[in-house]
């Protein structure tokens, strides 16, 4: 391929997208994230928005490739429509990175501010906004790439995942500055600033790592039941008894490990557990056999009128005597998966999930467990930091993530979702028990380390001990304060640009010489 015939700016931008994608599961080369954006930073001056958009487009296209599998295999979409929906999402997400690089370049041209002083704040601000706008989709924030670099992610109990994203952008900017102008005092100053931030960041991580793994005084034996129920059979009425038998037998198998809490995954019962059917009765009779609490994912409903119902994606907790202790409903639903946004206008759009009607959103409702409380995050609720924080502030001593990752098949998506879930443990310094239908089931320590996990697409039970109680972290108390600060600083940047008289003179395509 003749590089001279290509747009060099977009070529190097695309290279950054590939490198950044490789930092995520899988292949999970997390160290690449520290330099992945350097090619983009060296060339984006010439085409600020297009360069960032290209890098983001390549990145999200690679990381979210599995969406095509979900939409075609389980959503029933034809290949062309699935690809169209996939590309629409990629374009939307890439626009955030394009906007970040455009604003940072604009600030450099207008006020001579180096990228190091602007891009980290703008990047974090836009990552946060991506996680809340249009119901939010904070999948694959750059900070999540560091899931296996423990020293780099311990600061999440102060800044959340956004602090990790911030330092990654700082380091990338400093490296790019040194490559572009190795003799520049400004470049060396940037390197010193990046080094100072890194030392404090990793120093905090080292200190946290030196603390005891488990500071809780109360512990609980937990068994995770991974039924490995095929998604194509899951909602088949003829397969209900087989599903119950699988979970029943695996739960009894866990008895030799003497669990105090047995956890089944999301929608483990393909029927309404609240109905007094023969299937529901079998489930309710199990806790006395186990002499343990039983947490079960199940659909639920509430009757509002004769022919008017509300449906929920829920979890029920039963005591060792079989008494129902409470129900927790999923709060953050999957757009077009569990409900259709703007249903009156988009009623013609079918949901991508094979389930029961449109689900309704629930409320924060911790479940009582022998003097303690469980906070239940269902499926991809685990990627929303605020939801986990709400449960901890509501008194939860243990977070439980029930999920059905069968939708993803043997793609990288189950590992990406597990990676993001680990950050919820660090942010609140709390244990997380994760039960997944097809995996990855795991116990996650307050340090974010996966203490025990199993393979995907195997029926199994995993038993281990977890601590009860959450740490009093800065993040739990103040939430995404760091992200808000970044938003505030970015707003100041934007306001300054709006006041600058040169605003109309800055084209989308700058004519300045790129550095590569």
């Amino acid at each position: 391929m003749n590089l001279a015939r290509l747009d060099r700016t977009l070529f190097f931008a695309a290279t950054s997208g590939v490198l950044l994608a490789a930092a995520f599961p899988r292949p999970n080369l997390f160290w690449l994230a520290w330099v992945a954006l350097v090619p983009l930073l060296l060339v984006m001056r010439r085409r600020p928005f297009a360069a960032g958009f290209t890098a983001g487009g390549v990145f999200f296209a690679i990381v979210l490739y599995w969406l095509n599998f979900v939409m075609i295999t389980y959503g029933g979409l034809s290949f062309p429509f699935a690809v169209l929906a996939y590309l629409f999402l990629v374009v939307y997400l890439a626009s955030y990175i394009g906007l970040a690089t455009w604003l940072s370049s604009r600030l450099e041209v207008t006020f001579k501010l180096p990228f190091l002083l602007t891009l980290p704040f703008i990047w974090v601000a836009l990552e946060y906004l991506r996680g809340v706008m249009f119901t939010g989709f904070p999948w694959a924030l750059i900070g999540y790439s560091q899931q296996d670099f423990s020293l780099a992610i311990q600061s999440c109990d102060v800044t959340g995942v956004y602090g990790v994203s911030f330092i990654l952008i700082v380091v990338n900017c400093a490296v790019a500055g040194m490559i572009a102008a190795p003799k520049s005092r400004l470049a060396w100053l940037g390197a010193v600033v990046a080094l100072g931030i890194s030392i404090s960041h990793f120093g905090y991580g080292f200190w946290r790592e030196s603390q005891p793994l488990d500071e809780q005084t109360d512990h609980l034996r937990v068994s995770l039941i991974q039924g490995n129920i095929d998604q194509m059979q899951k909602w088949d009425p003829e397969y209900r008894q087989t599903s119950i038998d699988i979970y029943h037998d695996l739960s009894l198998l866990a008895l030799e490990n003497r669990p105090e809490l047995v956890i089944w995954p999301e929608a483990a019962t393909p029927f309404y557990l609240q109905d007094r059917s023969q299937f529901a009765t079998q489930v309710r009779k199990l806790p006395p056999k186990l002499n343990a609490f039983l947490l079960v994912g199940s659909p639920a409903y509430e009757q509002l009128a004769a022919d008017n119902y509300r449906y929920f994606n829920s979890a029920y907790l039963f005591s060792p005597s079989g008494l129902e202790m409470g129900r927790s409903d999923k709060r953050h639903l999957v757009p077009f998966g569990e409900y259709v946004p703007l249903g009156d206008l988009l009623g013609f759009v079918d949901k991508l999930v094979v389930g029961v009607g449109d689900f309704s959103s629930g409320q924060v409702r911790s479940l009582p467990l022998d003097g303690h409380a469980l906070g239940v995050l269902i499926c991809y609720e685990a990627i929303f930091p605020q939801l986990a924080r709400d449960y901890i502030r509501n008194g939860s001593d243990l977070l439980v993530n029930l999920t059905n990752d069968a939708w993803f098949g043997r793609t990288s998506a189950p590992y990406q979702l597990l990676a993001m879930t680990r950050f919820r443990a660090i942010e609140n310094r709390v244990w997380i028990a994760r039960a997944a239908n097809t995996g990855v089931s795991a116990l996650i320590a307050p340090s974010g380390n996966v203490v025990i996990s199993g393979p995907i697409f195997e029926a199994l039970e995993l038993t281990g001990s977890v601590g009860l109680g959450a740490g009093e972290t800065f993040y739990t108390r103040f939430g995404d304060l760091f992200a808000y600060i970044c938003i505030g600083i970015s707003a100041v940047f934007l306001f300054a640009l709006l006041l600058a008289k040169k605003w109309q003179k800055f084209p989308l395509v700058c004519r300045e010489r790129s550095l590569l």
Side-chain angles (χ1 to χ4, degrees):
M1 183 179 294
N2 187 356
L3 185 59
R5 295 181 180 179
L6 298 175
D7 186 315
R8 291 168 58 88
T9 299
L10 299 188
F11 175 82
F12 286 108
T15 300
S16 281
V18 173
L19 294 175
L20 188 57
F24 283 77
R26 299 181 165 184
N28 198 33
L29 304 176
F30 66 86
W31 51 270
L32 278 176
W34 296 91
V35 294
L37 297 179
V38 171
L40 168 65
L41 293 169
L42 292 175
V43 301
M44 72 183 195
R45 287 174 173 83
R46 182 167 181 81
R47 302 186 66 181
F49 181 83
F53 180 84
T54 299
V58 172
F59 166 65
F60 286 113
I62 296 174
V63 170
L64 300 177
Y65 77 94
W66 48 265
L67 280 172
N68 293 287
F69 172 83
V70 174
M71 291 186 288
I72 294 172
T73 305
Y74 299 114
L77 293 183
S78 63
F79 179 79
F81 280 104
V83 172
L84 184 63
Y86 160 74
L87 291 177
F88 179 83
L89 179 61
V90 167
V91 167
Y92 165 71
L93 297 175
S95 298
Y96 283 91
I97 296 181
L99 181 58
T101 54
W102 186 84
L103 283 174
S104 188
S105 296
R106 176 70 176 116
L107 288 164
E108 184 188 49
V109 169
T110 306
F111 302 111
K112 307 302 179 184
L113 295 176
F115 296 149
L116 181 62
L117 294 182
T118 61
L119 187 59
F121 297 101
I122 295 171
W123 188 288
V124 168
L126 289 173
E127 277 198 339
Y128 178 84
L129 292 177
R130 174 159 69 86
V132 297
M133 292 181 65
F134 308 113
T135 78
F137 189 66
W139 197 284
L141 305 182
I142 189 174
Y144 286 135
S145 66
Q146 302 305 295
Q147 57 138 350
D148 280 339
F149 191 3
S150 186
L151 289 180
I153 61 178
Q154 296 307 311
S155 62
C156 288
D157 62 0
V158 178
T159 65
V161 64
Y162 302 105
V164 184
S165 294
F166 185 89
I167 191 172
L168 283 169
I169 304 302
V170 166
V171 171
N172 273 273
C173 288
V175 172
M178 290 296 295
I179 293 175
K183 297 181 180 181
S184 168
R185 291 184 179 180
L186 186 61
W188 277 98
L189 178 60
V192 171
V193 170
L195 180 62
I197 295 176
S198 298
I199 290 175
S200 62
H201 184 86
F202 290 113
Y204 181 81
F206 181 81
W207 173 74
R208 288 300 316 187
E209 284 278 84
S210 67
Q211 302 302 301
L213 173 66
D214 186 358
E215 299 177 349
Q216 292 90 342
T217 57
D218 293 332
H219 293 79
L220 189 74
R221 293 284 292 175
V222 176
S223 288
L224 309 173
I225 308 301
Q226 184 172 301
N228 192 33
I229 307 299
D230 188 279
Q231 193 61 34
M232 301 303 290
Q233 298 174 319
K234 186 175 184 64
W235 298 101
D236 185 346
E238 296 183 0
Y239 202 73
R240 287 176 180 172
Q241 187 59 56
T242 302
S243 296
I244 295 302
D245 290 342
I246 290 174
Y247 282 109
H248 179 275
D249 294 345
L250 287 173
S251 299
L252 292 181
L253 184 63
L255 264 178
E256 62 182 52
N257 295 314
R258 298 182 180 181
E260 298 168 89
L261 171 65
V262 177
I263 303 175
W264 293 6
E266 175 191 15
T269 63
F271 50 84
Y272 295 112
L273 195 54
Q274 66 199 90
D275 290 343
R276 298 297 175 174
S277 65
Q278 59 170 324
F279 304 109
T281 300
Q282 293 179 59
V283 175
R284 292 173 179 271
K285 288 183 177 180
L286 184 57
K289 296 181 184 179
L290 302 173
N291 191 30
F293 287 88
L294 177 64
L295 182 66
V296 180
S298 172
Y301 66 87
E302 290 181 0
Q303 186 172 6
L304 304 178
D307 295 318
N308 187 12
Y309 293 84
R310 295 176 63 201
Y311 298 98
F312 301 91
N313 188 350
S314 306
Y316 288 85
L317 180 65
F318 298 96
S319 71
S321 64
L323 178 67
E324 183 178 317
M325 303 299 294
R327 189 188 87 199
S328 177
D329 302 322
K330 187 175 182 179
R331 299 166 56 201
H332 199 114
L333 304 175
V334 181
F336 302 106
E338 293 171 313
Y339 79 106
V340 177
L342 303 175
D344 293 339
L345 297 176
L346 303 177
F348 61 90
V349 180
D350 290 329
K351 300 192 313 324
L352 297 179
V353 169
V354 180
V356 186
D358 280 335
F359 287 110
S360 297
S361 179
Q363 303 294 325
V364 177
R365 187 182 300 163
S366 298
L367 300 176
L369 188 148
D370 197 18
H372 294 281
L374 304 179
V376 182
L377 301 170
I378 299 179
C379 191
Y380 98 137
E381 282 189 316
I383 75 173
F384 294 93
Q386 185 60 45
L387 298 183
R389 176 175 175 261
D390 286 345
Y391 276 113
I392 298 303
R393 290 175 63 83
N394 195 49
S396 296
D397 301 297
L398 172 68
L399 291 180
V400 180
N401 180 209
L402 308 184
T403 186
N404 176 23
D405 290 355
W407 306 106
F408 302 138
R410 295 182 181 274
T411 68
S412 60
Y415 302 98
Q416 293 175 10
L417 187 52
L418 173 64
M420 292 181 278
T421 304
R422 295 170 66 177
F423 284 73
R424 307 293 85 81
I426 303 172
E427 289 162 354
N428 301 286
R429 295 300 173 185
V430 67
W431 279 86
I432 297 180
R434 188 174 194 267
N437 173 30
T438 55
V440 182
S441 297
L443 294 180
I444 305 171
S447 63
N449 294 325
V450 177
V451 176
I452 184 174
S453 67
I456 63 174
F457 290 97
E458 288 187 19
L460 52 84
E461 65 86 17
L462 294 172
T463 301
S465 180
V466 301
L468 294 175
E472 296 181 1
T473 71
F474 184 93
Y475 182 84
T476 302
R477 184 175 181 183
F478 296 103
D480 294 311
L481 178 61
F482 180 78
Y484 299 152
I485 292 174
C486 290
I487 291 174
I489 293 174
S490 299
V492 172
F493 288 152
L494 183 59
F495 183 71
L497 286 175
L498 292 174
L499 293 180
K501 294 181 179 180
K502 297 181 181 180
W503 173 260
Q504 298 295 333
K505 296 181 180 180
F506 182 73
L508 287 178
V509 179
C510 295
R511 296 306 175 189
E512 294 191 6
R513 181 178 61 87
S514 64
L515 298 176
L516 281 179

